[in-house]
């Protein structure tokens, strides 16, 4: 039995009640690990420290954990974590709710300056969206642009379409769903009633109904037993009648007398399941404690498993999946185009039939001004239609519940707001068409992402096949100086080092010299005033908006020396760095001019009549120009002597890192490209947790040029 890696809807319904006990706890800090795990550190007057984990990656969970089990805090909080801290520090936890019966949790936090909601999607790709009290998205781990819903910063959060909640379904609705099914009982419960496979089987077992019973053969007595089993399950959840169980595989060597609990964990549930009678169950006082133990032991067990023999990934299925998604996205784009065209045509029809539409609206407005009820207005239109009155014949329906009238113009049914005139109704349709067009733009961006994923899958397939063809030759190579293959290491120790220059842009040249660049005017000012020494070189682009770039001849801790002759290769790499992190890259250009001067040619003292802005400087004497210097940047992961992300000109970092990805100017936002790099790095390392700890998207972004980028060769 495969271990559970995602919480079910029943699990969420159960844990919501237990989480209510923590209402009133105050938030201290928020953390983000990688791009899929959020940790909220809280404190409660009675219980002390509380740690809440929200994970939406390959494992999808949301629960409290013992403080000693939380991962070490990342060295540098990414932007998402800083945003959470700004909004939640000192806020009160006001409660958590499950959205209908979906795998969505909504955590609410209150502070004097407003409400913050954290919406955790534990289905599909998984997501964490942070909204204000009115559900406007502040930020989210993943943007969602689908035909059915959109989740992007600045928009209103859209929940998925409603589904039947089996825990509150009426008997009439239950009978209707069962009658509409064309399969067996268990599949009907799993899909039509949204129970999922395990709990659909459990309901059948508790009801004493054969799982494979065809729905056509299920009589009223079967319906009664199944519905009663659902009601008992729902009652236990509503009343908190839990008997949590952590389930393990029964050890094959156990004959009933030994300790069968040594098998691996496979499930955790809020109450005992008859479907798990063949497993070994352990009782817990609370479901949250059981969840904490389960996922802790699941991760521990996976870490201790022997490394399996690497098998060829199913690249063909992955390629087929992305091709299928692209086909669906293309269909959505066509649908948006058709919908937008239809809305504009409806607006134009209103103007084409202006007199008729105005007569309908004016008739209803006058009747409402006389306090005539909506039913009477509807009846008068029906009577007018029987008499052949054109305006009345065009009216399909009058709906007083929302103040609308539906009319038929040339076969198009159009909903009009009664309190608005013809122009306002037409403008509303044009606005809606524009909104649909914006959705189309989002879908076009999404399809580009999917095409990148498709090309990446094809590239990995080609690389695998090429490596496979060379494996025989590699197996026979017994070189004495074989280096450690960090990519294949199952566990990489973290060896952190945060040098004094880490807050600047920096890299070491292929000759070992340090290059530092300012990130803003303040840092440019600081570099020239504090860190510029005799013997150093200063480089700058001719283009506006470039960093002050200093090629250091010595370390600040060493005695300065003007006798050191800096290699041409280091100066050229520093020039490439200067042009790559300037507006040249941001403007999408691939080359620019750079000049270099000695440290003693740089001054912060302007000539008489001159003015230097913050971060600016004056140059005295001749400059050495490096014309048409090509841009070039790469980001890589270093494993020794320290474990960290580094970046800079490709030639400078390629021999210092275990793996690298080269960039070029492109149209993808810096944050989006950083996430792509993060996913690529995770795929390359066997120890994915290592990448998550030291190479978060924010840390990768720290070494990327400003503006849009793309992965070179994609």
């Amino acid at each position: 039995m495969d271990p559970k890696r995602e919480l079910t809807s029943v699990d969420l319904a159960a844990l919501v009640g237990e989480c209510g006990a923590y209402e009133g706890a105050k938030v201290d800090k928020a953390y983000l690990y990688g791009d899929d795990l959020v940790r909220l550190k809280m404190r409660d007057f009675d219980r002390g420290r509380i740690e809440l984990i929200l994970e939406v990656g390959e494992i999808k969970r949301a629960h409290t954990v013992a403080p000693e089990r939380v991962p070490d805090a990342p060295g540098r909080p990414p932007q998402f974590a800083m945003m959470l801290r700004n909004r939640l520090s000192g806020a009160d936890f006001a409660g958590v709710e499950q959205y209908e019966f979906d795998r969505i949790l909504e955590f609410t936090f209150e502070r004097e300056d407003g409400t913050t909601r954290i919406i955790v999607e534990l289905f599909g790709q998984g997501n964490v969206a942070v909204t204000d009290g009115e559900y406007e998205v502040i930020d989210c781990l993943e943007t969602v642009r689908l035909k059915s819903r959109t989740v992007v910063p600045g928009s209103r959060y859209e929940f998925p379409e409603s589904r039947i909640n089996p825990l509150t379904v009426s008997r009439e609705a239950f009978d209707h769903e069962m009658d509409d099914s064309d399969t067996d009982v268990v599949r009907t419960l799993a899909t039509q009633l949204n129970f999922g496979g395990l709990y659909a089987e459990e309901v059948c077992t508790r009801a004493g109904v054969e799982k494979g019973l065809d729905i056509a053969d299920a009589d009223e007595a079967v319906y009664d037993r199944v519905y009663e089993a659902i009601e008992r399950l729902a009652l236990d959840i509503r009343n908190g009648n839990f008997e949590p169980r952590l389930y393990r595989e029964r050890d094959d060597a156990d004959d009933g007398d030994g300790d069968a609990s040594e098998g691996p964990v496979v499930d955790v549930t809020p109450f005992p399941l008859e479907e798990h009678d063949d497993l070994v169950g352990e009782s817990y006082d609370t479901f949250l404690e059981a969840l904490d133990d389960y996922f802790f032991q699941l991760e521990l067990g996976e870490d201790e498993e022997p490394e399996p023999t690497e098998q060829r990934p199913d690249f063909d299925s992955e390629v087929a999946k992305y091709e299928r998604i692209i086909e669906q996205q293309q269909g959505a784009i066509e649908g948006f185009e058709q919908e937008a065209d239809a809305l504009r045509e409806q607006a134009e029809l209103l103007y084409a039939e202006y007199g008729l539409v105005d007569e309908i609206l004016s008739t209803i407005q006058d009747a409402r001004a006389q306090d005539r009820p909506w039913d009477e207005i509807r009846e008068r239109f029906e009577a007018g239609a029987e008499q052949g009155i054109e305006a009345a014949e065009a009216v399909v329906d009058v709906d007083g519940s929302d103040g609308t009238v539906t009319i038929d113009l040339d076969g198009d049914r159009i909903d009009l707001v009664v309190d608005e005139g013809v122009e306002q109704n037409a403008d509303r349709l044009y606005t809606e068409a524009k909104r649909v067009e914006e959705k189309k733009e989002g879908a076009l961006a999404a399809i580009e992402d999917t095409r990148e994923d498709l090309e990446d899958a094809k590239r990995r397939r080609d690389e695998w096949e090429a490596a496979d063809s060379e494996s025989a030759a590699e197996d026979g190579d017994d070189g004495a100086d074989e280096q450690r293959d960090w990519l294949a290491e199952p566990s990489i120790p973290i060896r952190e080092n945060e040098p004094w220059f880490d807050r600047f842009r920096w890299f070491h040249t292929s000759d070992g010299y340090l290059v530092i660049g300012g990130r803003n005017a303040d840092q440019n000012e600081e570099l020239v005033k504090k860190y510029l020494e005799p013997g150093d070189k200063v480089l700058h682009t001719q283009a506006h908006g470039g960093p002050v770039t200093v090629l250091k001849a010595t370390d600040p801790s060493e005695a300065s020396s003007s006798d050191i002759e800096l290699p041409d290769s280091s100066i050229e790499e520093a020039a490439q760095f200067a042009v790559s992190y300037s507006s040249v890259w941001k403007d999408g250009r691939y080359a620019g001019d750079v000049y270099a001067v000695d440290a003693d040619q740089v001054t912060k003292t302007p000539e008489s009549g001159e003015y230097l802005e913050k971060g600016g400087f004056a140059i005295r004497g001749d400059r050495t120009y490096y014309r048409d210097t090509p841009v070039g940047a790469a980001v890589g992961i270093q494993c020794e002597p320290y474990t960290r992300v580094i970046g800079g000109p490709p030639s400078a970092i390629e021999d210092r890192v275990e793996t690298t990805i080269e960039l070029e100017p492109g149209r993808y936002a810096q944050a989006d490209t950083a996430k792509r790099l993060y996913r690529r790095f995770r795929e390359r390392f066997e120890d994915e947790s290592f990448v998550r700890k030291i190479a978060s998207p924010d840390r990768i972004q720290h070494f990327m040029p400003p503006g849009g980028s793309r992965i070179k060769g994609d």
Side-chain angles (χ1 to χ4, degrees):
M1 177 178 179
D2 292 333
K4 174 161 71 178
R5 305 176 69 83
E6 300 181 1
L7 295 183
T8 68
S9 294
V10 172
D11 295 335
L12 299 188
L15 73 83
V16 161
E18 291 191 358
C19 283
Y22 298 112
E23 290 182 15
K26 287 195 176 293
V27 180
D28 283 335
K29 269 192 176 181
Y31 305 86
L32 176 66
Y33 300 80
D35 62 352
D36 57 21
L37 193 153
V38 174
R39 167 189 160 206
L40 298 181
K41 180 181 177 183
M42 301 187 290
R43 49 190 165 83
D44 182 78
F45 181 78
D46 296 320
R47 296 172 179 81
R49 178 178 165 188
I50 300 167
E51 295 284 359
L52 177 65
I53 292 290
L54 313 171
E55 188 170 8
V56 293
E58 293 181 5
I59 290 178
K60 295 181 175 63
R61 57 177 175 144
H63 58 87
T64 55
V65 301
E68 62 271 16
R69 290 178 176 171
V70 297
D72 294 335
R76 180 188 298 274
Q79 184 60 38
F80 189 86
M82 293 303 297
M83 176 274 298
L84 281 176
R85 293 181 186 183
N86 290 336
R87 294 192 64 87
L88 296 181
S89 180
D92 293 326
F93 173 49
V96 58
E97 296 180 356
Q98 179 183 18
Y99 175 68
E100 297 183 349
F101 193 63
D102 215 328
R103 287 184 290 164
I104 298 177
L105 292 178
E106 180 181 327
F107 293 85
T108 304
F109 299 87
E110 300 285 357
R111 205 168 61 177
E112 287 186 1
D113 57 354
T115 298
T116 297
R117 306 180 193 277
I118 298 181
I119 302 174
V120 186
E121 300 178 358
L122 298 167
F123 63 90
Q125 297 296 317
N127 200 5
V128 175
V130 181
T131 78
D132 61 14
E134 302 302 319
Y135 292 94
E136 180 175 330
V137 178
I138 308 302
D139 202 355
C140 49
L141 293 184
E142 295 289 342
T143 56
V144 178
R145 293 184 177 93
L146 301 173
K147 185 174 183 180
S148 57
R149 61 192 292 258
T150 301
V151 181
V152 295
S155 69
R156 182 176 174 82
Y157 179 85
E158 296 182 15
F159 287 96
E161 292 183 3
S162 298
R163 304 190 306 162
I164 284 183
N165 185 343
L167 303 183
T168 59
V169 67
S170 67
R171 178 55 192 266
E172 292 75 18
F174 169 79
D175 288 351
H176 175 73
E177 294 298 328
M178 298 291 280
D179 290 341
D180 273 1
S181 176
D182 59 358
T183 183
D184 54 33
V185 173
V186 71
R187 287 188 176 88
T188 303
L189 292 174
T191 57
Q192 301 294 102
L193 275 296
N194 301 312
F195 264 119
L198 175 61
Y199 282 96
E201 293 182 355
E202 180 69 14
V203 167
C204 287
T205 300
R206 293 186 179 191
V209 172
E210 182 185 343
K211 300 171 188 175
L213 179 66
D214 194 286
I215 202 72
D217 298 328
D219 56 19
E220 192 70 19
V222 170
Y223 281 18
D224 288 342
R225 295 203 302 275
V226 172
Y227 190 72
E228 287 170 6
I230 293 174
E231 283 191 313
R232 290 195 299 272
L233 180 68
L235 190 62
D236 285 342
I237 293 175
R238 283 196 295 270
N239 295 337
N241 297 330
F242 304 137
E243 296 179 51
R245 293 288 189 275
L246 183 151
Y247 287 102
R248 299 176 181 274
E249 289 278 14
R250 189 175 298 277
D251 196 324
D252 292 339
D254 179 50
D255 58 3
D257 297 326
D259 183 7
S261 65
E262 294 181 358
V265 295
V266 291
D267 203 356
V268 58
T269 62
F271 24 65
L273 299 186
E274 295 182 31
E275 287 298 303
H276 284 348
D277 282 348
D278 59 332
L279 301 175
V280 179
E282 299 175 29
S283 300
Y284 282 79
D285 292 332
T286 69
F287 188 39
L288 288 173
E289 290 174 350
L291 287 169
D292 183 14
D293 263 9
Y294 174 79
F295 285 106
F296 176 73
Q297 294 183 46
L298 176 67
E299 184 174 0
L300 189 66
E302 290 181 344
D303 288 345
E304 292 176 349
E305 286 179 0
E307 186 176 352
T309 302
E310 189 174 15
Q311 297 181 354
R312 185 185 190 277
D314 190 357
F315 293 115
D316 294 336
S317 294
E318 188 177 2
V319 168
K321 180 187 75 171
Y322 288 130
E323 289 175 341
R324 185 171 62 253
I325 292 173
I326 289 172
E327 185 178 349
Q328 293 169 348
Q329 290 171 326
Q330 287 173 333
I333 292 169
E334 293 173 3
F336 288 140
E337 292 173 346
Q338 293 170 1
E339 185 179 354
D341 289 342
L343 288 166
R344 282 191 290 267
E345 288 175 5
Q346 288 181 359
E348 291 163 5
L349 272 173
L350 294 185
Y351 282 114
E353 299 289 347
Y354 191 108
L356 179 67
V357 177
D358 184 58
E359 182 182 350
I360 294 170
L361 292 172
S362 298
T363 299
I364 300 175
Q365 291 167 0
D366 291 344
R368 290 299 296 160
Q370 299 171 27
D371 293 328
R372 296 187 182 276
W374 289 99
D375 288 343
E376 180 182 330
I377 295 171
R378 185 184 302 107
E379 291 169 358
R380 293 186 65 180
F381 273 112
E382 290 172 353
E386 292 176 358
Q387 297 171 17
I389 299 173
E390 184 181 7
E393 288 178 330
V395 174
V396 177
D397 185 37
V398 178
D399 189 348
S401 64
D402 57 3
T404 61
V405 56
T406 303
I407 63 174
D408 186 321
L409 296 180
D410 294 341
D412 271 334
R413 294 199 170 192
I414 308 173
D415 293 328
L416 304 176
V417 178
V418 169
D419 290 340
E420 297 178 353
V422 179
E423 295 90 345
Q424 289 172 301
N425 275 286
D427 286 346
R428 177 174 49 80
L429 291 170
Y430 281 126
T431 301
E432 179 64 15
K434 185 177 179 181
R435 187 186 67 82
V436 173
E437 289 281 8
E438 290 172 353
K439 281 191 173 184
K440 172 190 167 185
E441 293 303 316
L444 287 169
I447 203 172
E448 286 302 315
D449 288 342
T450 309
R451 287 193 175 114
E452 285 197 2
D453 292 335
L454 173 63
E455 292 306 314
D456 179 60
K458 291 179 177 178
R459 176 189 58 77
R460 287 186 282 111
R461 179 185 61 188
D462 295 342
E463 288 177 354
W464 181 283
E465 291 172 351
D468 192 44
S469 65
E470 298 173 2
S471 60
E474 293 174 356
D475 289 343
D477 185 4
D478 296 324
D481 298 326
E482 183 179 352
Q483 292 185 339
R484 189 171 180 181
D485 184 3
W486 289 106
L487 296 179
E489 287 288 328
S491 179
I492 302 175
I494 305 297
R495 296 182 299 279
E496 293 183 332
N497 174 52
E498 191 165 330
W500 63 269
F501 46 78
D502 194 52
R503 58 195 180 90
F504 299 100
R505 299 192 187 279
W506 66 271
F507 76 98
H508 284 96
T509 70
S510 51
D511 303 301
Y513 291 91
L514 175 65
V515 176
I516 322 172
R519 292 183 174 276
N520 49 46
D522 288 334
Q523 288 195 351
N524 286 345
E525 190 95 2
E526 183 180 1
L527 284 176
V528 173
K529 284 185 174 180
K530 187 174 180 181
Y531 294 108
L532 189 60
E533 299 287 345
D536 295 345
K537 286 283 186 186
V538 176
L539 299 97
H540 200 271
T541 59
Q542 285 291 91
H544 179 71
V548 170
T549 301
V550 178
L551 172 57
K552 298 291 297 176
T554 60
D555 188 272
S557 62
E558 302 173 7
S560 62
S561 173
S562 57
D563 298 330
I564 295 176
E565 186 171 347
L566 294 165
D568 289 341
S569 56
S570 288
I571 299 174
E572 289 168 2
E573 287 174 346
Q576 186 174 50
F577 175 86
V579 75
S580 298
Y581 290 86
S582 73
S583 59
V584 172
W585 184 291
K586 195 171 184 179
D587 293 341
R589 292 181 284 148
Y590 283 77
D593 293 341
V594 182
Y595 63 81
V597 295
D598 294 330
D600 57 9
Q601 294 181 250
V602 180
T603 178
K604 288 294 298 177
T605 304
E607 294 283 4
S608 177
E610 291 181 349
Y611 169 74
L612 294 178
E613 297 179 350
K614 177 181 283 192
F617 52 88
I619 302 294
R620 306 285 185 252
D622 295 335
R623 311 177 185 191
T624 301
Y625 280 89
Y626 295 83
R627 303 289 185 184
D628 292 323
T629 298
V631 298
V635 178
I637 295 183
Q638 191 176 46
C639 293
E640 52 186 358
Y642 302 108
T643 50
R644 60 189 178 191
V645 178
I646 64 173
S651 61
I653 74 164
E654 59 186 3
D655 292 333
R656 300 177 182 273
V657 296
E658 187 64 26
T659 183
T660 182
I661 298 175
E662 197 168 343
L663 301 171
E664 62 184 6
R667 62 188 182 85
Y668 298 109
Q670 193 183 62
D672 290 340
T673 306
K675 289 179 181 179
R676 291 190 178 92
L677 265 63
Y678 170 74
R679 288 194 288 266
R680 294 276 179 93
F681 286 135
R682 282 186 64 174
E683 291 169 356
R684 295 181 182 184
F685 279 88
E686 181 70 21
D687 184 5
E688 290 188 4
S689 64
F690 163 73
V691 180
R692 188 172 69 182
K693 290 172 185 174
I694 66 111
S696 67
D698 266 45
R699 189 60 183 157
I700 291 170
Q701 193 171 338
H702 188 73
F703 288 92
M704 291 173 57
S709 298
R710 58 174 289 153
I711 296 174
K712 191 171 183 178
D714 278 11

